[in-house]
Amino acid sequence: MKKIFPRIKTDEELESLLDEDLSDYLHEDNFKPVTFEFQPKDKTVNLRVSEEMLETVKTVSKKEGISYQKYIRRAIERSLGE
C-alpha cells in the first residue's frame, strides 16, 4: 500500500514515524528530483522578454517548485550541456 509522508510537527511525531516500516513510503509520489548548485553566482544578466513569455516561465517554474530565475538558469545550463 502506498503511503504519503505526513507533515511532521514535533520530534515525537518524527520518532514515531521512524519506528514504522517505511517501505510503503518508497514510491515516486514521495520524491522529486533536486539539483545542487555549487558554483557561486557572481554575475548578473539583463534579459528582455515578452510579458507573455515571462508569465509562462513563471507558471511552469511554479509547477516545478522553483523560482523563475532558477528555471531560466537551468534552461541555459541544459542547453549548454552542463
Side-chain angles (χ1 to χ4, degrees), residues 3-61:
K3 292 184 179 180
I4 301 295
F5 280 116
R7 294 226 178 247
I8 306 295
K9 297 181 179 124
T10 65
D11 288 343
E12 290 79 21
E13 290 176 357
L14 178 60
E15 292 292 331
S16 175
L17 178 68
L18 292 176
D19 289 336
E20 293 182 34
D21 176 13
L22 299 178
S23 59
D24 289 336
Y25 293 99
L26 299 176
H27 55 86
E28 63 185 34
D29 296 337
N30 276 332
F31 299 96
K32 62 181 177 179
V34 297
T35 58
F36 298 98
E37 298 182 18
F38 296 108
Q39 295 179 335
K41 310 308 183 251
D42 53 1
K43 298 290 181 183
T44 60
V45 175
N46 276 335
L47 179 67
R48 298 184 68 76
V49 297
S50 69
E51 184 174 351
E52 180 180 317
M53 181 184 287
L54 181 58
E55 290 307 314
T56 302
V57 166
K58 286 181 177 182
T59 300
V60 173
S61 67

